[in-house]
Amino acid sequence: MKLYCLSSDAAKPCFVLSFKELLIMLDCGLSAHSVLNFLPLPPVPSTRLASLPNYTPPHVNDPLLEGELKECCGRVFVDSVPEFCPPLDKVVDFSQLDVILISNYTCMMALPFITEDTGFKGQVYATEPTLQIGRFYLEELSEWVSGSGGGAGAAKRWKELVHLLPPPLASALRPRAWRRLFSPGALARALSRVRVVGYDERVDIYGALDATAVSSGFCLGSANWVLRSAHEKVAYVSGSSTLTTHPRPINQAALRGADLLVLAALTQTPAHNPDHMLGDLCVHATVTLRAGGSVLCPVYPSGVLYDLLECLSAHLEGAGLAHVPLYVVSPVADSSLAYSNILAEWVSVGKQARVYLPEEPFPHAALVRAGRLKHARSLHDDAFSADFRQPCVVFCGHPSLRFGAAVHLVELWANNPAHAIIFTEPDFPHAEALAPFQPLSMKAFHCPIDTSLNYSQANKLVRELRPRELALPEQYAASGGTAAGGGAAASGGAGGTRPHIGADVPTVVVRRGAARSLGLRAGLRAAPLTAALRVRDARLELVAPAACGTPGTEAAPAPVLHWSALDVEALVRALAREGVSEARVEAGADGCIVHLPRHDTLVHVERHATHVFCEGRSDVRQALRRALAACLPHI
């Protein structure tokens, strides 16, 4: 068994597990930190951004670089359509992937990069909310980027001179591997490959193992995956939460006793309590609105947005500001808000109880009916423009402030100190997101809300689940450590110690681009057995043999068990003794091929397996069987 890590961002994981001769991809997260190195794409032309001065590195006179770099307040940006950092594509051949298991909609954004134009022929599994809300995320992202001046030429020359550029461009991670966003057609084809599964539904993976999605408690439809074979159990814990929010609670029982636990997507803001941040947001919004200013919240079209609408609307009503309108601006705003209220089986018990009253699980519909919440596809919708009034609270994308309606609103309100922008999404550092808009007069608040496991909760979870072995990204390991295990669980980061996972179990640290071998169930032994092999619907099954013969009949010969690697020269000699001559041996990169041209037969000998392709007569097959048996030790 081997585990490969293809992502540089532990919060957007992408692993490949080689298990039971299958290649299983666990999540396909897309790192978007690279977009912070680009200038924003405003929905309408921006005079300020267009007038920024060009930047040329000292002592460099390259006409191909002209116009690719701009300078703003001492920071250099790339003037081009933003590019993203997909998972590594040279470590594992994507065409050989057998299955992709997706844990939640935040970890599927790179799916088109994996499945399209790569020769991918496998299966993709996710829960229904993960598929549908992931579709909202991807469609919004595609429309924001393609609809915001996406026809500009791509800037490429700067990547050849990145070592001459000032930071942070100089330290950009793998800029030559950055890619533009996929086309709408590729997005539609990728999503059409996804097969929907329910919680606790067992999915057969080519007869070799079963995969089961169990609730992770992080967001609507989020799942942890449990892989079971006859003797092993692997648990993949990604984007999980033990807090009480709107999703169904985490199912810990299904994860206990795993031979291997793969841990990923812990909180990105371990020093910030989500409840405290939500309270701070409500206070900052109330103070701003009372002073006559408006509030901008750059958010994704789902997830924490549902909690923000519910909590902020109730807080404003209690503060006497129920007349302040709430706006959600997104190409998928209508679909996202409507879809969230028909997911009764995927929400918490408290939300489910409201369905039987009958009431909507979320208050969106009631706020719309009362006229307090309005949504629109864009800022330029006629109905929205006619109804827009201030002060107000606007929720729109994108949290990076590089494309989407938020870019235009920041440009519009930047010089007014009465307005405020409140960052709640943890994916992007707020100071870097605001860098191309400096100098900025409007107030900026950082209230990151990340409900996924913090380090203390993750350490406690690992102790309760008691796996035989733990695998985690290097970002979660102790400083400078290659493998933890047996150490104390550090969780706070006090005294300069970086928070990390330090459970008392053998731990394997997986680095980006590297493979780590994992040994499960050391100590298993082989023994001969008598059974019948049943092959049906491409599934192999060992069943008890038929009843023994009647008394007095001759007993069947004892079964023979062969083992060890095959000696090719000994095989050729054994074939000659059986009368099968003219064997040709060809050496290859992965073993040897014994070719019997007269009998239309190939024997492919690899290090760990031997494959026989025989179209000849039955006597040739019997001779092959005897020759192979004669070359191997047996009991």
Side-chain angles (χ1 to χ4, degrees):
M1 174 183 289
K2 287 186 177 180
L3 184 66
Y4 304 83
C5 179
L6 307 186
S7 174
S8 59
D9 186 353
K12 299 293 182 286
C14 182
F15 296 98
V16 173
L17 181 67
S18 174
F19 184 35
K20 294 295 180 183
E21 298 187 7
L22 298 175
L23 283 180
I24 304 167
M25 178 170 280
L26 304 170
D27 280 334
C28 46
L30 179 66
S31 176
H33 286 177
S34 56
V35 305
L36 296 175
N37 295 291
F38 293 79
L39 279 180
L41 295 178
V44 295
S46 169
T47 304
R48 187 190 67 84
L49 292 174
S51 61
L52 290 175
N54 289 334
Y55 174 83
T56 303
H59 313 297
V60 173
N61 184 15
D62 190 338
L64 297 178
L65 189 63
E66 184 69 26
E68 289 193 356
L69 301 174
K70 299 281 188 177
E71 187 173 4
C72 177
C73 294
R75 169 83 181 263
V76 178
F77 297 92
V78 182
D79 188 12
S80 177
V81 176
E83 297 177 339
F84 299 81
C85 185
L88 294 174
D89 57 357
K90 298 295 190 295
V91 178
V92 175
D93 185 354
F94 292 159
S95 67
Q96 300 300 313
L97 291 175
D98 296 290
V99 65
I100 300 176
L101 304 177
I102 299 174
S103 60
N104 61 76
Y105 48 78
T106 69
C107 296
M108 66 176 292
M109 305 294 281
L111 184 63
F113 289 119
I114 306 295
T115 63
E116 303 312 305
D117 303 320
T118 61
F120 175 79
K121 300 180 288 293
Q123 303 289 343
V124 186
Y125 293 100
T127 63
E128 182 182 354
T130 294
L131 171 60
Q132 298 302 334
I133 300 177
R135 186 191 305 273
F136 298 152
Y137 270 50
L138 288 164
E139 289 178 350
E140 182 194 64
L141 187 62
S142 178
E143 187 159 338
W144 282 141
V145 174
S146 62
S148 302
K156 298 179 180 179
R157 181 57 180 167
W158 70 272
K159 299 180 182 180
E160 308 297 328
L161 305 172
V162 67
H163 59 286
L164 301 175
L165 302 180
L169 274 178
S171 56
L173 182 65
R174 300 170 52 239
R176 295 184 184 181
W178 295 355
R179 296 173 59 184
R180 283 195 175 193
L181 203 64
F182 30 76
S183 67
L187 169 59
R189 291 192 299 273
L191 293 177
S192 68
R193 298 174 182 268
V194 181
R195 294 190 176 186
V196 171
V197 298
Y199 283 153
D200 305 317
E201 175 185 348
R202 286 199 171 190
V203 179
D204 177 67
I205 308 297
Y206 300 106
L209 52 87
D210 290 331
T212 306
V214 298
S215 175
S216 73
F218 173 60
C219 59
L220 290 176
S222 63
N224 293 321
W225 286 91
V226 178
L227 307 177
R228 291 179 181 271
S229 67
H231 300 289
E232 297 95 1
K233 176 180 178 180
V234 177
Y236 176 57
V237 175
S238 172
S240 300
S241 177
T242 56
L243 302 179
T244 303
T245 54
H246 61 264
R248 187 189 288 193
I250 184 174
N251 180 356
Q252 296 189 28
L255 306 172
R256 291 193 178 97
D259 296 288
L260 173 66
L261 175 66
V262 182
L263 188 63
L266 302 183
T267 180
Q268 300 178 71
T269 56
H272 297 82
N273 182 289
D275 291 333
H276 296 168
M277 292 298 99
L278 189 57
D280 290 349
L281 177 143
C282 293
V283 171
H284 293 319
T286 301
V287 171
T288 302
L289 293 170
R290 280 180 172 162
S294 294
V295 177
L296 171 63
C297 293
V299 295
Y300 293 115
S302 181
V304 175
L305 172 63
Y306 302 146
D307 297 308
L308 294 179
L309 290 173
E310 184 171 2
C311 295
L312 185 58
S313 61
H315 184 85
L316 293 180
E317 184 174 1
L321 296 172
H323 62 281
V324 174
L326 308 175
Y327 298 104
V328 178
V329 182
S330 168
V332 296
D334 184 36
S335 303
S336 176
L337 295 176
Y339 186 75
S340 63
N341 271 325
I342 61 172
L343 297 173
E345 66 174 295
W346 306 94
V347 297
S348 62
V349 175
K351 295 288 186 185
Q352 287 181 356
R354 300 184 63 175
V355 177
Y356 301 104
L357 290 181
E359 294 179 4
E360 296 95 347
F362 297 95
H364 318 324
L367 292 173
V368 172
R369 288 193 297 269
R372 296 182 60 191
L373 175 63
K374 307 176 189 299
H375 51 81
R377 287 186 55 84
S378 72
L379 294 173
H380 313 297
D381 286 0
D382 293 338
F384 176 77
S385 300
D387 201 33
F388 184 75
R389 56 188 174 89
Q390 300 185 58
C392 62
V393 181
V394 182
F395 299 91
C396 61
H398 185 265
S400 68
L401 298 186
R402 293 303 181 268
F403 30 78
V407 174
H408 182 64
L409 291 176
V410 174
E411 289 270 298
L412 197 65
W413 294 346
N415 295 324
N416 190 340
H419 299 311
I421 180 171
I422 304 178
F423 292 88
T424 59
E425 300 291 350
D427 287 350
F428 303 95
H430 71 290
E432 291 192 36
L434 289 170
F437 300 96
Q438 300 295 345
L440 194 72
S441 297
M442 69 185 300
K443 296 184 292 290
F445 301 102
H446 187 223
C447 302
I449 300 175
D450 192 342
T451 60
S452 51
L453 294 172
N454 61 33
Y455 290 88
S456 176
Q457 294 165 344
N459 278 309
K460 181 174 181 292
L461 180 67
V462 172
R463 288 195 300 269
E464 293 175 350
L465 298 183
R466 302 178 65 183
R468 289 176 178 264
E469 192 171 19
L470 174 67
L472 44 82
E474 60 179 332
Q475 294 91 330
Y476 300 156
S479 300
T482 56
S491 58
T497 303
R498 180 172 64 87
H500 64 274
I501 301 300
D504 293 324
V505 296
T507 304
V508 175
V509 178
V510 187
R511 291 177 171 80
R512 180 180 62 89
R516 291 302 301 265
S517 297
L518 306 168
L520 297 188
R521 295 269 186 173
L524 281 181
R525 298 293 183 264
L529 57 85
T530 302
L533 178 63
R534 177 186 297 167
V535 183
R536 183 175 182 181
D537 296 333
R539 183 184 179 93
L540 305 179
E541 185 179 4
L542 287 176
V543 297
C548 297
T550 56
T553 61
E554 184 178 353
V560 177
L561 176 65
H562 295 89
W563 74 90
S564 185
L566 186 63
D567 186 336
V568 176
E569 295 182 358
L571 175 62
V572 173
R573 292 194 298 268
L575 288 172
R577 289 195 297 270
E578 295 288 342
V580 181
S581 57
E582 299 183 8
R584 296 206 305 263
V585 179
E586 301 174 7
D590 56 349
C592 294
I593 298 177
V594 180
H595 187 199
L596 307 176
R598 288 184 53 194
H599 305 288
D600 197 13
T601 297
L602 287 175
V603 181
H604 189 185
V605 181
E606 298 178 345
R607 182 181 178 186
H608 299 294
T610 300
H611 308 277
V612 179
F613 306 91
C614 180
E615 300 294 339
R617 303 183 308 274
S618 59
D619 58 332
V620 177
R621 294 196 296 271
Q622 293 292 337
L624 275 171
R625 180 177 179 179
R626 291 191 297 270
L628 287 169
C631 297
L632 296 173
H634 63 274
I635 56 174

